Amino acid sequence: MTEYRTIAAARDALRRGEVTAVELAEDYIARVEGADALGAFVHKTPEIAREQAARADQRLRSGDAPDLCGIPVGVKDLFCTRGVPSQAASKILEGFRPEYESTVTEKLFAEGAVMLGKLNMDEFAMGSSTETSTYGDAVNPWRRGNDEAKLTPGGSSGGSAAAVSADLCLGALGTDTGGSIRQPAAFTGITGLKPTYGRVSRWGIIAFASSLDQAGPMARDVRDCAIMLQAMAGHDAKDSTSAELDVPDFEAMLDGDIRGKVIGIPREYHMDGMPEEIEAIWAEGRAMMEAAGATLRDISLPHTKYALPAYYVIAPAEASSNLARYDGVRYGRRARIGQGDGITEMYERTRAEGFGDEVQRRVMIGTYVLSAGFYDAYYNRARKVRTLIKRDFEQVFADGVDAILTPATPSAAFGLGEMAEADPVQMYLNDVFTVTVNLAGLPGISVPAGTDRQGLPLGLQLIGKPWEEGALLNTAYALEREAGFVAKPAKWW
């Protein structure tokens, strides 16, 4: 069967009748079955895929074929899907099969998308390596040269990134709270978009940090992300944070013309100890932007240095509130208790057994910073810093900058288990270039731009103005064309 590596190519082939949705679905079902070594798909749904593909073929024959009609996709385990396990990769939600559909998956299915299954992730989206999952690790399809050591696909959307990178699906849903779409996209050589907060409904997505979480597409290239975002975006009355804005035709905005656009280069992102290869790919990205006709401008985002500590106060605080409901009574799996034990012992044992170490750590931090005597010292102060970070971006954009170019990650993908004995803060540093975007509610995209000396992909991040995903995607499209990234992992799984 002809390989269609992008959503756009498969869409066009389906419309021309070169392949049917059922044939395409069967091809990808077989790929998923043969890739268990990657740990990307944790709940396979081949029968659902076949039913959806059959309906897609009917729509294709009738001429009623939206862009995603017949396109095989994967869904991060954080999205509730009717009748399918939706666990957020946590033991505490074992056996949970929702009787409802998240708004985003409902939109995709209405467009004719074909769900191959649910994808691995860090537990409750808390992590940067997909090593905190109750299902076990997800594995990056890329390797360091001939080294057989398994690498992380990043996190928390690591299963989504691995699945797209390994050609197990044409697109995948991710969520981004502090970089969880963009970092794994960079680690696996794909494109990942975090939309403006409120552009995509959060209803039916299991919450981590409600003021930071945002769903977004992960796909092979910028055009595919534009196609997916078109289907995902839009106002939802069930989500009070959903914006009542029209959704433009994002794909139609991709002409690659950025002549005269001003690209900001923030001096604060030149971190002490930044690896030479990250500095080099950033310098190459600046040259690519100039080659595409853009003007570079040095800018300052002075409160950047406070972003990571502010994020790791606000996110755990919101997590501790959101996860309080999982107590074995209202929601979640209940632990067995001994005769004579009371309600307190049941709560303690349920949460100790149901939550992994990282989730417990963040819940405890969050509870601490929200407690009497520490609320003002930590949480309120972090909220004030967040306002200053947002103001930094507003000032830069008001001064005429159209987009901001930064590295996506502080390194290439690292080995699974390599950070096991490290201070947790070392893992948190993976978010150093991405958390500001979530704190400010801005759109950001990671585009693969090259490889390091070991052959691992490296990504560059573009940050755009709020609600201007179309312009951001077009700038990313210009960067993508200049970079010409075509590398793919050699199959070993």
Side-chain angles (χ1 to χ4, degrees), residues 190-438:
I190 67 169
T191 304
L193 172 68
K194 177 231 170 266
T196 308
Y197 181 81
R199 173 65 87 179
V200 177
S201 173
R202 293 184 300 109
W203 194 87
I205 302 173
I206 298 167
F208 164 14
S210 300
S211 75
L212 299 164
D213 299 342
Q214 187 62 189
M218 303 178 74
R220 179 67 56 192
D221 60 17
V222 172
R223 183 174 299 278
D224 285 1
C225 282
I227 292 169
M228 287 190 70
L229 181 62
Q230 182 79 37
M232 296 169 65
H235 178 248
D236 179 14
K238 292 181 287 191
D239 176 4
S240 62
T241 63
S242 174
E244 290 193 57
L245 293 174
D246 291 336
V247 179
D249 187 338
F250 295 117
E251 187 183 7
M253 300 174 77
L254 301 180
D255 60 17
D257 185 0
I258 60 168
R259 288 172 295 180
K261 298 295 184 183
V262 178
I263 306 299
I265 309 298
R267 63 178 64 101
E268 289 81 9
Y269 281 59
H270 290 280
M271 303 288 184
D272 291 339
M274 184 187 291
E276 290 182 9
E277 290 179 317
I278 301 298
E279 283 280 12
I281 198 72
W282 193 12
E284 289 174 25
R286 297 196 290 273
M288 292 173 197
M289 291 280 89
E290 287 187 309
T295 300
L296 302 185
R297 181 188 299 176
D298 288 332
I299 62 171
S300 178
L301 299 168
H303 295 93
T304 294
K305 62 183 176 180
Y306 305 116
L308 211 58
Y311 174 85
Y312 278 103
V313 169
I314 292 169
E318 295 186 11
S320 78
S321 295
N322 279 323
L323 271 61
R325 71 194 73 177
Y326 303 108
D327 55 15
V329 177
R330 291 169 292 182
Y331 293 92
R333 176 182 181 275
R334 179 184 300 185
R336 292 184 178 183
I337 56 175
Q339 191 171 4
D341 288 338
I343 188 72
T344 301
E345 288 79 12
M346 189 274 290
Y347 284 154
E348 290 173 348
R349 195 165 301 167
T350 292
R351 293 168 72 81
E353 291 179 7
F355 290 146
D357 291 345
E358 183 60 31
V359 172
Q360 291 184 36
R361 179 184 293 117
R362 297 200 196 190
V363 166
M364 287 191 290
I365 291 170
T367 304
Y368 177 79
V369 301
L370 291 176
S371 61
F374 298 102
Y375 186 92
D376 286 330
Y378 292 104
Y379 184 66
N380 258 347
R381 185 172 295 182
R383 289 173 60 215
K384 291 174 182 176
V385 169
R386 181 181 189 172
T387 300
L388 295 174
I389 290 168
K390 187 171 184 286
R391 191 178 301 163
D392 287 347
F393 283 105
E394 290 170 346
Q395 184 62 56
V396 164
F397 290 134
D399 289 343
V401 168
D402 295 292
I404 298 167
L405 179 71
T406 79
T409 59
S411 70
F414 50 88
L416 290 169
E418 284 183 8
M419 304 284 277
E421 301 302 321
D423 185 317
V425 174
Q426 292 300 115
M427 184 71 85
Y428 299 163
L429 288 172
N430 275 282
D431 302 329
V432 67
F433 298 128
T434 52
V435 295
T436 52
V437 177
N438 298 80

Side-chain angles (χ1 to χ4, degrees), residues 109-130:
F109 300 156
E111 292 287 302
V114 174
M115 182 176 71
L116 298 167
K118 305 296 288 291
L119 294 161
N120 208 350
M121 56 177 283
D122 281 297
E123 184 182 8
F124 281 103
M126 298 181 196
S128 301
S129 62
T130 315

Side-chain angles (χ1 to χ4, degrees), residues 76 125 127 155-158 175-184 218 431:
K76 186 176 180 178
S156 64
S157 305
T175 60
D176 193 311
T177 306
S180 288
I181 284 174
R182 291 159 289 153
Q183 183 249 25
M218 303 178 74
D431 302 329

